[in-house]
Amino acid sequence: DAKTTQPTSMDCAEGRAANLPCNHSTISGNEYVYWYRQIHSQGPQYIIHGLKNNETNEMASLIITEDRKSSTLILPHATLRDTAVYYCIVRALKNSGGSNYKLTFGKGTLLTVNP
Amino acid sequence: GAGVSQSPSNKVTEKGKDVELRCDPISGHTALYWYRQRLGQGLEFLIYFQGNSAPDKSGLPSDRFSAERTGESVSTLTIQRTQQEDSAVYLCASSSRRSNYGYTFGSGTRLTVV
């Protein structure tokens, strides 16, 4: 799987948009970008994933650059409960036989939302 | 069930004892994963089960660690002759096509070896 680079930590004011960057310059054509987060003392939580088009769900938006070498996770209105470590992961999917492949977690970005 | 269930939530054991950790995946999820997370560290992959295929054991740190899963049901992770460095949170996750390949994690088992 391609490696990712994320800032170690970021701060955001409550109510503001949090924009978390991720570089994945060695991503290959069949690799998706996944985002997870881990709130203190909990298991990681899936947020969103995408291939090349921008994606949005009830939790966040994912913006992937045209060359796919970087992406940004956007939390439109951050709350104190969004304080967590955010992981950006790239992983290929294989469609044959319904296989699922392991996710490799890096160190992520510690996002602290301040009141 | 509604989510991935792990038991026990906390386990304190004496060095040298064996422990068994349990994971109940979401019903119908074909894939099951075990990870370990030491205090203040990232997630470390241990083992992966996919249906009836041979598991990917490449992450198991030593032969004291083993895991089993029967079909697409419960999995158990066993650590024999526990050592203090085994102290960590052990996380289980499951996934399927219906979940867009996203993992659902359990809350983990916090293992403390004293």
Side-chain angles (χ1 to χ4, degrees), chain A residues 3 7 16 33 36-37 48 56-58 64 71 77 82-86 106 109 113-114:
Chain A
K3 290 184 178 178
R16 298 283 194 169
V33 180
Y36 283 76
R37 73 179 182 184
I48 199 167
T56 295
N57 62 21
E58 65 278 4
I64 302 174
S71 61
H77 306 287
D82 292 322
T83 293
V85 177
Y86 286 77
T109 296
V113 181
N114 300 305

Side-chain angles (χ1 to χ4, degrees), chain A residues 34 36 38 41-46 49 87 91 93-107, chain B residues 30-31 33 35 37 41-43 45 48 50 56 58 91 95-97 99-107 110:
Chain A
Y34 280 78
Y36 283 76
Q38 188 173 25
S41 298
Q42 297 183 22
Q45 176 190 24
Y46 166 82
H49 76 286
Y87 297 99
R91 187 189 74 166
L93 294 179
K94 210 158 195 188
N95 295 321
S96 62
S99 296
N100 296 267
Y101 283 75
K102 63 177 184 261
L103 293 172
T104 301
F105 289 80
K107 296 189 184 301
Chain B
T30 56
Y33 311 79
Y35 284 80
Q37 188 170 33
Q41 304 296 311
L43 278 79
F45 167 77
Y48 154 61
Q50 170 59 52
D56 174 357
S58 60
L91 291 157
S95 71
S96 77
R97 282 188 180 276
S99 64
N100 293 319
Y101 300 99
Y103 289 21
T104 301
F105 279 85
S107 299
R110 181 175 299 278

